Amino acid sequence: MSALSADDSKRLAAAKAAELVRDGMRLGLGTGSTAKHFVDFIGEKVRAGMKLLCVPTSEATRAQAAALGIPLTTLDETPELDLTVDGADEFDPQMRLIKGGGGALLREKIVAAASARMVVITDSSKKVDTLGRFPLPIEVVPFGLEATRRRIEKVASATGCRGSLSLRQGQDGKPFLTDGGHFILDGSFGRIPDPEPLAAALTAIPGVVEHGLFLGLAKAVIVADAAGVDIIGDLG
Ligand code: 5RP
């Protein structure tokens, strides 16, 4: 087995996903270091003359795509997409995901839900048997933060998740702000034994904008490491 860095693996997974892209497609472009490779491949395809129309899932991805000359649209102009390719912080054998490590979970989920297919690209370090090793990002409105935090703690505990909720900090030492102007609470639960009831309970809390559990959205996960590329699910 040759040495392959995590970033090489991410690039390999992104290259495999780029093979799914056909002329005329409407694409969702994910966010993060893995999705960044995919956006680079899309830039190459556009330069080579492929006609694509893309919706970015963050301002960071928008800036990268615009710099590469990728034609961009919005979900208002193009409400249905053919394919979204995005990274993940964790995935389990049922292709349930934790996303939001980069803080783009809200737009990522909206774009994935507007797509006929979501394909996840990742290196093998993101694979888990049970979700929850990666802290679960929960996007909340700043108003009423402490009240919302307590309600999240209660519903998490009721669904078997115990652990601290910490307010994500930005590099400036102030609370991290998402592209939508919200805060993120990261739930260090260790294990999320039952993601579906937790997801439903979080969604029902006033003040919670979105959470990083992506359930039933991914149609396939492309996992790369030094051993090669593995496909979970159905790429078609
Ligand atoms: C951003 C995300 C990313 O997809 C996730 O954090 C994975 O990032 P990376 O590809 O850098 O490991 O959900 O909100």
Side-chain angles (χ1 to χ4, degrees):
M1 244 175 10
S2 63
L4 208 64
S5 70
D7 195 56
D8 291 337
S9 299
K10 290 175 179 189
R11 190 172 169 80
L12 198 59
K16 186 73 189 166
E19 291 175 11
L20 302 172
V21 176
R22 302 276 177 272
D23 197 48
M25 271 189 168
R26 300 157 301 175
L27 292 179
L29 303 177
T31 294
S33 56
T34 319
K36 192 166 183 288
H37 287 302
F38 180 75
V39 176
D40 283 337
F41 287 121
I42 295 305
E44 284 174 18
K45 287 180 185 293
V46 168
R47 264 200 309 285
M50 197 181 260
K51 296 274 175 288
L52 298 168
L53 203 48
C54 300
V55 176
T57 53
S58 64
E59 292 306 316
T61 298
R62 176 189 305 285
Q64 183 198 358
L68 292 169
I70 297 171
L72 297 176
T73 182
T74 64
L75 287 183
D76 297 312
E77 290 166 356
T78 312
E80 290 178 23
L81 305 178
D82 301 298
L83 170 68
T84 283
V85 175
D86 202 349
D89 298 300
E90 258 183 19
F91 66 95
D92 75 1
Q94 288 121 284
M95 294 186 287
R96 297 180 294 192
L97 317 173
I98 286 183
K99 285 186 53 56
L105 63 152
L106 175 60
R107 293 188 188 182
E108 288 173 335
K109 200 178 273 189
I110 294 171
V111 170
S115 304
R117 268 189 300 165
M118 179 199 197
V119 171
V120 174
I121 49 177
T122 145
D123 66 281
S124 57
S125 70
K126 312 282 184 69
K127 187 175 178 178
V128 294
D129 288 329
T130 305
L131 295 178
R133 188 179 66 194
F134 191 91
L136 177 67
I138 303 166
E139 185 159 347
V140 299
V141 292
F143 179 85
L145 176 65
E146 181 53 22
T148 305
R149 199 188 64 75
R150 287 183 187 205
R151 291 201 68 178
I152 292 172
E153 240 167 29
K154 266 194 194 144
V155 304
S157 163
T159 55
C161 299
R162 276 174 200 83
S164 63
L165 280 171
S166 55
L167 182 62
R168 193 179 294 185
Q169 302 295 308
Q171 280 176 348
D172 56 3
K174 294 185 185 149
F176 173 86
L177 276 186
T178 66
D179 285 342
H182 306 126
F183 291 164
I184 290 187
L185 290 167
D186 288 302
S188 299
F189 300 129
R191 287 183 83 248
I192 301 177
D194 223 350
E196 281 78 9
L198 175 62
L202 289 173
T203 302
I205 297 176
V208 169
V209 180
E210 195 47 87
H211 55 76
L213 288 167
F214 283 49
L215 310 177
L217 281 168
K219 296 281 183 288
V221 181
I222 300 175
V223 195
D225 62 17
V229 174
D230 191 21
I231 314 281
I232 302 167
D234 183 7
L235 282 183

